[in-house]
Amino acid sequence: MGKKREVDDRFKKFGTVSFASTTKVNDFVSHLDEGKVTGTRCKDCGAMFFPPRADCYKCLTSNMEWFDVSGTGKLVSYSKLEYAPVGFEGDLPYSIALLDYGEYKVFGRLANDLSSEEVEVGMTMKTVVNELPNGQKNYVFEKA
Ligand SMILES: [Zn+2]
């Protein structure tokens, strides 16, 4: 790596920061390659974020560390998509879903091999890394 880049923290002057520096959260993709789904935790207040954030909006600090999304979560909600955003048409149909891990929530997709009869709100699920036919990685929710 080259010289350390100066952190542009002008956004801290705003109350709530919804700005995430992509360079700092690109490790998320490397972690997927290692078979891990990760979020970030604020070292100052302990708040956990998924998707990972480079800054804590509560403390306005960048004092963050990675954690593994492990164990199980509860399915809060899901929805089968018949229409997809541009770029995702080839994936249809698929279901987006939200898992509640207690301290944080994970938004993602249900595994494609789950039938709708198998899925119900409140069920226990886990987040796993999934390899796509083109070699890219994403993550999906499976029955725990
Ligand atoms: Zn914090």
Side-chain angles (χ1 to χ4, degrees):
M1 294 290 282
K3 281 176 280 178
K4 206 172 174 185
R5 285 201 312 146
E6 194 118 359
V7 177
D8 182 346
D9 61 3
R10 285 172 292 176
F11 275 90
K12 286 182 180 177
K13 289 182 180 164
F14 288 96
T16 301
V17 181
S18 63
F19 170 78
S21 154
T22 41
T23 51
K24 283 191 269 181
V25 291
N26 272 348
D27 284 346
F28 177 76
V29 179
S30 311
H31 295 155
L32 278 183
D33 255 337
E34 295 162 15
K36 295 186 294 189
V37 181
T38 49
T40 52
R41 179 194 289 118
C42 173
K43 288 188 190 173
D44 293 342
C45 75
M48 298 166 92
F49 300 101
F50 191 94
R53 300 174 54 98
D55 308 284
C56 177
Y57 67 81
K58 292 178 183 166
C59 311
L60 306 184
T61 175
S62 300
N63 194 16
M64 307 290 273
E65 62 183 359
W66 291 98
F67 70 90
D68 293 356
V69 173
S70 60
T72 58
K74 243 168 80 170
L75 181 61
V76 178
S77 176
Y78 69 99
S79 180
K80 189 172 176 179
L81 299 190
E82 305 290 347
Y83 299 93
V86 175
F88 293 91
E89 301 93 336
D91 295 355
L92 286 171
Y94 64 91
S95 296
I96 52 171
L98 186 67
L99 288 198
D100 187 355
Y101 273 81
E103 289 182 274
Y104 57 96
K105 291 186 175 67
V106 179
F107 178 77
R109 287 188 192 193
L110 297 179
N112 276 339
D113 55 358
L114 285 172
S115 70
S116 46
E117 293 79 47
E118 290 177 285
V119 180
E120 60 179 332
V121 168
M123 72 187 288
T124 305
M125 303 195 86
K126 59 184 178 182
T127 305
V128 298
V129 175
N130 177 50
E131 184 159 350
L132 299 168
N134 64 6
Q136 289 183 315
K137 301 275 172 69
N138 66 0
Y139 61 90
V140 294
F141 302 141
E142 285 182 348
K143 281 201 280 187

